[in-house]
Amino acid sequence: MFTRTSGGRRAALVLVAASTAGLALVASPASAAAPTWESLTVPTTNARVSLLPFDSQNAYARTTDQCTEECTYSPRLWQRTGTTWKQVTMPTDVQANVLAGTGPTDLWVFGSKNAYRFNHYDGTTWTPNLNPEPKNAEVLGARAAGRNSVWAVGNYRGTGTNWYPMVTHWNGSNWNTTKFTGIQGELESVDVNSETDIWAAGYRHTSGHFQGLVMHYDGTRWTEVPVPAVSGEDTMLGEVISTGPNDVWVASGSDVSHWDGTAWTRRDTPAAVSSFAYYGGRLYAGLSGAPKLVRWSGATWEAVGTPVKGQAVDQLSTTPDGTLYASSSEGGVLSEFHAYLSRLAPPTTD
């Protein structure tokens, strides 16, 4: 999952789980300190950056201007080659809300501009909108498993004001969509381990309330993995990451839970989770407050070395070679905004 938006419907996120565990945040031992972060150039400093890295030389990024006064929401698309960023000119019907892809010549851009668009960019040429149902199918999160396998989640607009969770899959020729019409709500995040192990998270809307929704695909069918609700509390899930059917993490703000194949256990973080990523075989969480970065020790979250600059980590991404990238920022409506990019090289082995 690279980035997503939810059309302004997203409320404060509260995750509910089967059991709770107290948070015990500890500092990393000196011997386990993270390597030094390398600072990278950003496409522009006054816009929030969401990064889709492929390797040490190539990446795409989506930037969203941060304004101190009223301004027009206009995401921009950038391509990184070596140390150089260049802005990519997008067709007039393209809105860069969600990015997914496998390399510089294989980028999917999802967004809504009068209709829900699925566009492909090969590094030179844009392929026209490929969404078979541009009036109904909206993508909020996506992940590319390969050139011929892209999984995207979001919502499908039904009759009236109803919308339903949706998963759509690119098989190299066309998009095939699954609509969960028995549920009102949407899916916001997806993680793909294999074609037979895919997880998606979001929420359902019932009687004026929101409840967390987690779905699993085993290669044959999608099955809901129930997330227990707490009476009187709204629940929406925005992040999901997994290494397999018995190791799944979901987050909603600072409320984090782990699925072990049998039950959910609460593993809350000290600040809201912006994203998860694995680095060196361990789970990291980027946070919107102090500390900016934590990792799971197997029993608790521990604070680790953080990107060089910024007050919050906005996004974490891991490339196939094991490099960890972090987008961070500081400032906002009441002060000048600054964006930063950093990375950690793959861990060395003895």
Side-chain angles (χ1 to χ4, degrees), residues 45 61 116 158 186 196 205 259 278 316 327 339:
T45 60
Y116 303 125
E186 66 184 24
T196 60
H205 186 214
W259 172 256
Y278 278 96
L316 295 174
S327 302

Side-chain angles (χ1 to χ4, degrees), residues 203-235:
Y203 67 86
R204 62 173 358 114
H205 186 214
T206 305
S207 302
H209 294 283
F210 299 100
Q211 180 181 345
L213 177 66
V214 174
M215 306 292 294
H216 178 246
Y217 184 65
D218 63 5
T220 302
R221 64 191 181 100
W222 286 93
T223 303
E224 182 176 356
V225 180
V227 181
V230 171
S231 178
E233 290 190 7
D234 284 339
T235 305

Side-chain angles (χ1 to χ4, degrees), residues 35-39 286 292-293 304-316 324-329 340-344:
T36 302
W37 286 88
E38 176 189 3
S39 295
K292 290 178 287 186
L293 190 69
V304 296
T306 56
V308 176
K309 297 179 180 180
Q311 298 170 337
V313 171
D314 301 317
Q315 181 215 357
L316 295 174
L324 179 65
Y325 287 81
S327 302
S328 56
S329 63
Y340 309 98
L341 285 176
S342 308
R343 70 180 173 193
L344 282 175

